[in-house]
Every structure is written in structure tokens, then in C-alpha cells.
Amino acid sequence: MLQRVLSTAIFGEGLEVPSVFASLTPGHILVLAIKNDAAQNLSKESRRLLYRLGVLSVGTLDKREYLAWVGIIGGPAWAEARTLDAEVELGMVWASGVTLDVLVPRVLHDSSCLGERRGFRETARARFCSLYDGYGSLCSCPTPAPLVYEPPELEGNSIMDVPLLILASNRPNYLYRNLVTVLRQAGASRDRILVLVDGHYQQVTDLLNLLQVQYEVRTAWGVTVGARISDQYRYALSLVFRRFPQASKAILLEEDLICLGVWDLDTRAHHRGLFRFFFYDTEVLVIGYPFSDYSFLKPPWLSMLEVNKTEEVEKLNLMPLTHRSRFRRPALERSVPFLDVPAPVFF
């Protein structure tokens, strides 16, 4: 079973909606709830995706309105409910709650194609996929993703003795995406990967055992979040060189692969593209250029990555400023192919 909370009220968080739905297993029951300010920044692409799934009223859902939906991935919709409060249009109050009482026929999911695959690891895969969801091709029939990757050799490899330490917590779907992305890279080696898990989470350890990736479980200490993070990083650096005593350097990653270390404290996304964090006791403001409305503050002498080809510039000018493709860097994306997840297709 997969449980996910997507804070689409925060600008940009809705970009994850397509990849989450693409990872779900067809035939499974989906219980969906949209509440509070989630509809405020829910993109048109996400609304169209949900409509194709069978959520009929998502196209007109406004902020602070509630919606509940129950259906089958790739199958029928069983029930849908939505609040319509006139006062909500003024933006001053919250909508009333939604109560949905649904009886769904109990049908055993057919996972026989995974069970028919021979071998101890395939048996472990079938058991894993019967317990958990959200792993996309890992549990897809009849051609699931491989459990062992054999990437090509890296020409002029200078990191053969450099271990990779991944810091993880209770986000197994992110961790799987991270591991698959790393294991597919040229010169990658599973023997040089070590995962440090902050706390014991059964799904995380089951995933690592399935992929046969070495790991260690430890609960970080500290009163504050910052103290816990510092404690875990300090232990991680000590751990990686104990496990790999011949290494003179190491690579550290967090499980989500795209963590910037910047917290957007504007939870309502009113200051689009403005981020704030603290470096020691100094408050630092980061402006996403040219995405942010504050891009005009960029000093004229500061150079940025540019698109030089005329046809590329003309193509970009046809896109709105909120379109993600305006800021994609293909040269970088080629190194993380698993992050480019296509939108799901529902029949």
C-alpha cells in the first residue's frame, strides 16, 4: 500500500503529481483527497491527468474546496464527492468537510505473472510487490524492471575506489528512484554503494534487501531537526570510511537526488520563486532566475546559463514562464534518465 501527501499548495510541488500516478500499479484501489489550498497551484496538466483517471469535477475545483474520490487505477471510478460552498469564493473561509461512504467489490489482484518468474529473487520481488505500491516498472507485468543492472564501463574511470553513501529515511519510493538512477550510470558498482537509514522502516529495508544493496540502520540524535541532521552527517562520514578503509574520498547523496538544501518558507506561494534559508546566523534569500517575479533584482554583471541558438530561443518564447521545459538542461538530464518519468495513460 502506498500513502503519499503532495503539498500542491506550494508552487512547483504539483510537478511531482504525474510521476506519482505513473508509478501506481493498474488494478489497485486509489483513494484520493484534495483539501485545504491544494487546488491553488494544481496545474492544468495535473487536472487533465486526474480527469482522465475519472475525477470528473477536478477541472473546476477551486482553492479551499474539498474533493474525495475512490476508484481503480486504469479501471472504473466508484464514487466522487465535492463541497460547493458559496462563501469559499470570497476566499475568507474553509469549505465544509466531505464524507464519502463507498462499497468496493473485493477482487484479488492478479500478480501471477510475477509469481511465475523463477528464482529466489523473483519470489522476493513478487512478495514485495504484493505488499507495497508506487514502484512503477519494478512491479509491472509481464516485463518488470531488472533487479540487477550491468552498466557499461566508464572510460578513464577515476572513481573506481570511491564509495557512494546515500542518506535515507522513510521515503522508499525516492530511494528506489535514486538507486536505479545511480546503478544505470556508466562505471556504477553496487559493491561501492552504502545506504544509511535514519530509523527502522520495514518497507525501506525490504527494498534494500530486494536490490541487495548494503545498508545500516541508525536513529539520529538531537533535540532539533538541525541537530539530528548534523549528527547523521557526522556519523555518515565516519561510517563510509570505516566500511571502505582504502578510500581517500567519498560521494554523499540524499535519497531524493534533487535536494537543494533550500526551504521555501512561503507556504502559500505568494512570493513565487523566492526561497529563504539560514547559513549559520545569516538569513539568505535565493531568487530563481528568470522564473521568479523578483528576477529584475539580478545584478547586470552576473552571467547566467544562456540559450544561444535562435531557433531554441524562438521555441522557448512560445512557452509560458511557468513551463518547466524553459529551464531544462538536456546535458544534465542525460545523467539522470530515471527522473524523466512519462505521464501515465489511463484506458
Side-chain angles (χ1 to χ4, degrees):
M1 182 174 66
L2 172 68
Q3 295 181 353
R4 289 295 302 274
V5 177
L6 300 174
S7 301
T8 55
I10 302 175
F11 191 81
E13 289 290 318
L15 294 175
E16 193 176 2
V17 172
S19 62
V20 170
F21 281 93
S23 68
L24 300 178
T25 303
H28 283 191
I29 298 174
L30 173 63
V31 179
L32 172 70
I34 301 177
K35 63 178 186 177
N36 297 347
D37 285 345
Q40 178 175 347
N41 288 313
L42 194 63
S43 66
K44 292 182 179 179
E45 178 186 1
S46 297
R47 290 176 186 265
R48 286 194 295 266
L49 187 153
L50 292 173
Y51 183 82
R52 294 198 303 269
L53 180 64
V55 187
L56 301 181
S57 59
V58 69
T60 58
L61 189 69
D62 201 356
K63 67 176 182 179
R64 298 192 177 180
E65 291 183 350
Y66 288 5
L67 182 146
W69 183 90
V70 179
I72 305 295
I73 299 296
W78 292 106
E80 180 175 346
R82 171 188 173 182
T83 55
L84 290 173
D85 291 354
E87 293 83 357
V88 176
E89 297 179 359
L90 302 177
M92 302 300 294
V93 297
W94 300 98
S96 57
V98 173
T99 300
L100 197 59
D101 190 1
V102 186
L103 291 177
V104 178
R106 183 178 180 182
V107 179
L108 294 178
H109 178 63
D110 183 13
S111 59
S112 57
C113 65
L114 293 177
E116 292 174 354
R117 299 173 67 88
R118 297 181 179 179
F120 172 78
R121 297 192 66 184
E122 292 298 337
T123 302
R125 183 212 295 266
R127 179 183 178 278
F128 180 88
C129 294
S130 67
L131 295 175
Y132 310 115
D133 200 351
Y135 293 92
S137 58
L138 178 67
C139 300
S140 65
C141 293
T143 55
L147 295 175
V148 178
Y149 290 87
E150 298 180 358
E153 294 293 332
L154 179 63
E155 184 177 354
N157 192 347
S158 60
I159 58 172
M160 292 185 61
D161 60 341
V162 177
L164 170 64
L165 177 64
I166 300 175
L167 299 173
S169 57
N170 190 23
R171 298 192 292 180
N173 302 96
Y174 285 168
L175 179 59
Y176 174 68
R177 182 178 64 182
N178 185 317
L179 289 170
V180 171
T181 301
V182 169
L183 291 171
R184 291 171 57 175
Q185 304 308 307
S189 172
R190 187 179 56 188
D191 296 333
R192 298 200 308 270
I193 298 177
L194 174 63
V195 179
L196 176 60
V197 185
D198 183 7
H200 180 75
Y201 305 103
Q202 190 63 47
Q203 185 176 170
V204 175
T205 55
D206 286 349
L207 173 65
L208 293 170
N209 288 328
L210 177 64
L211 299 178
Q212 294 187 350
V213 174
Q214 55 184 324
Y215 65 92
E216 181 170 321
V217 176
R218 174 186 183 266
T219 301
W221 292 87
V223 178
T224 64
V225 174
R228 288 174 55 87
I229 294 175
S230 298
D231 177 68
Q232 195 73 341
Y233 267 89
R234 181 168 53 249
Y235 182 83
L237 291 172
S238 173
L239 171 66
V240 69
F241 290 110
R242 286 202 313 269
R243 290 288 190 95
F244 302 92
Q246 303 302 321
S248 60
K249 58 181 72 71
I251 300 173
L252 268 68
L253 283 179
E254 292 193 13
E255 60 195 352
D256 58 6
L257 261 183
I258 53 177
C259 177
L260 183 60
V262 175
W263 286 264
D264 183 1
L265 301 185
D266 176 29
T267 57
R268 292 293 185 266
H270 292 159
H271 301 284
R272 298 156 68 101
L274 177 64
F275 303 89
R276 180 178 64 164
F277 66 96
F278 290 88
F279 184 75
Y280 291 94
D281 294 327
T282 302
E283 184 178 14
V284 180
L285 298 177
V286 178
I287 297 174
Y289 179 91
F291 169 76
S292 173
D293 296 338
Y294 298 93
S295 296
F296 67 92
L297 296 174
K298 183 185 76 67
W301 61 85
L302 186 64
S303 61
M304 309 294 293
L305 289 174
E306 297 180 357
V307 178
N308 297 318
K309 295 182 180 180
T310 304
E311 58 272 18
E312 292 182 357
V313 174
E314 293 176 351
K315 185 177 179 180
L316 287 176
N317 287 336
L318 297 177
M319 301 179 183
L321 287 176
T322 55
H323 199 297
R324 176 174 175 262
S325 297
R326 290 184 63 94
F327 315 107
R328 295 178 69 166
R329 294 290 179 265
L332 297 178
E333 290 185 356
R334 280 195 294 269
S335 64
V336 283
F338 196 71
L339 293 180
D340 196 10
V341 180
V345 177
F346 302 106
F347 299 97

